[in-house]
Amino acid sequence: MTSEWLSPPTRSELIENLVSGVDRYNPSNVGILEDYLYHQIRSEEYDCLANLAILKLYQFNPDLYNPDVVINILIKALTASPFPDFNLCISLLDERSTNAQLDEPDPLPTILPILKGLHNLLFRCRFPAFWQAYRSDELDFLRDNYTVEVAGFENAVRAVAIRGVRATFTRISSERLGSYLDLSGTTLSAYIQKLGWSVNSSTSVVTIPPNPDNQIEATIVQESVKLPQLTKIIAHSVASA
């Protein structure tokens, strides 16, 4: 997982050279990295380090700042929860200069608190609350102007929920799982089938296959104290008394 995060298999040689070398700080390369971001958005790929390089360039060169690019980077990082990608991106915005010359009002100050709230819900595994907030009328502009352009965004959020379910449950009701995934009926059944999980037709209970995170195993810790060591401990206790 770490190796894929550092160097995704879908990253081209050109982007690898930009991200890994000194050229990552060359402002003339920002257009290449921004084009790569939009490729990620269209193709359901994700490259956190390349996106962080864009934010770092914006830090060093405020005149390059593009709020729509920043928002799209944050949306992509949102679906990496519970990994720290979103907070890494936020950390590069704290010192962002406000002197960039924009033709229109900057939407980031309005959208950033919303994205932080959505990330908080995902990070705390409050998946039904996430979907309720995301589907609300107040976030129409976020869906209509941003996430609609991000291919597979909702399924990427569902993948976050599935990671949480796999790590926590061995069995879960279909109704509860559906609330986590914002799915129901035949759509939910098809999703469960795609995961390879089984459903008890009489109880509607979904069985999650065993994995290292959802299995409780006793750990036996055995300590060996040799006689010479024990003698030293006793002698030290007597001397201290």
Side-chain angles (χ1 to χ4, degrees), residues 4 52 54 63 93 100 126 171 179 197 199 226-227 240:
E4 288 189 6
L52 290 173
I54 297 174
D63 56 305
L93 300 181
R126 296 186 58 194
R171 294 188 303 167
S179 71
W197 296 356
V199 184
K226 297 181 180 179
L227 186 59
S240 299

Side-chain angles (χ1 to χ4, degrees), residues 145-166:
N145 295 297
Y146 292 100
T147 58
V148 69
E149 302 292 339
V150 181
F153 172 76
E154 293 184 4
N155 277 336
V157 172
R158 292 184 181 107
V160 175
I162 291 300
R163 284 196 290 269
V165 171
R166 277 197 174 110

Side-chain angles (χ1 to χ4, degrees), residues 9-128:
T10 54
R11 181 190 291 169
S12 68
E13 184 178 355
L14 171 62
I15 300 299
E16 180 68 39
N17 292 334
L18 290 182
V19 171
S20 303
V22 294
D23 271 347
R24 68 180 300 173
Y25 300 113
N26 185 342
S28 64
N29 292 324
V30 71
I32 298 174
L33 292 170
E34 288 174 343
D35 288 343
Y36 180 46
L37 168 66
Y38 286 108
H39 169 75
Q40 295 173 52
I41 289 171
R42 294 189 299 269
S43 62
E44 299 186 46
E45 297 175 8
Y46 179 57
D47 191 334
C48 183
L49 287 185
N51 297 342
L52 290 173
I54 297 174
L55 298 180
K56 180 60 72 174
L57 284 170
Y58 287 175
Q59 265 193 334
F60 291 157
N61 307 275
D63 56 305
L64 298 176
Y65 168 70
N66 184 330
D68 286 336
V69 169
V70 175
I71 291 169
N72 279 307
I73 288 174
L74 293 175
I75 289 173
K76 291 294 288 185
L78 193 68
T79 58
S81 184
F83 302 109
D85 300 34
F86 187 85
N87 288 332
L88 288 173
C89 294
I90 292 296
S91 69
L92 295 179
L93 300 181
D94 291 341
E95 302 299 325
R96 180 180 63 81
S97 172
T98 58
N99 297 325
Q101 299 298 316
L102 302 175
D103 296 331
E104 299 178 356
D106 188 349
L108 185 61
T110 300
I111 294 180
L112 184 56
I114 294 170
L115 294 178
K116 284 183 176 180
L118 293 175
H119 173 261
N120 185 44
L121 292 174
L122 283 180
F123 186 76
R124 293 192 291 146
C125 297
R126 296 186 58 194
F127 304 120

